[in-house]
Amino acid sequence: MFLFTIAVGASNRQVQLRFQHSDFKKVLKSLCLFAVEVIKPVDPQFTSTPREIAMNSRYMPHFKVR
C-alpha cells in the first residue's frame, strides 16, 4: 500500500478503493513512527528558513512572522 501510494501519488481514498479490506491507517501510523526515528531535521529549532523557501514567492508568505 505504501509503495502504491508513493509511486502513483495516490490519495487515501484511491488506496482504500484499491486495497478494499486492508487497514491503511495501520500503514500510515507505522510510517509516521518510522519517520520520527529516521527523518530528523538538521535544525530541530527551525531557527532559519531554507534558501529554497526564502527565495520562492510562492512559499515564503507562509513562513513570514506576523
Side-chain angles (χ1 to χ4, degrees), residues 17-59:
L17 290 173
R18 175 83 161 87
F19 302 95
Q20 293 281 323
H21 298 287
S22 300
D23 192 357
F24 190 59
K25 288 182 182 179
K26 287 183 180 179
V27 174
L28 288 176
K29 185 176 180 179
S30 298
L31 183 60
C32 288
L33 292 172
F34 177 72
V36 169
E37 293 182 20
V38 175
I39 304 170
K40 298 185 187 219
V42 176
D43 180 12
Q45 300 299 318
F46 298 102
T47 56
S48 64
T49 305
R51 189 170 193 271
E52 296 82 13
I53 293 173
M55 301 303 286
N56 191 325
S57 60
R58 179 177 176 194
Y59 302 120

Side-chain angles (χ1 to χ4, degrees), residues 4-5 9-18 24-25 28:
F4 174 76
T5 303
S11 67
N12 189 13
R13 180 73 179 141
Q14 290 171 320
V15 174
Q16 288 175 356
L17 290 173
R18 175 83 161 87
F24 190 59
K25 288 182 182 179
L28 288 176

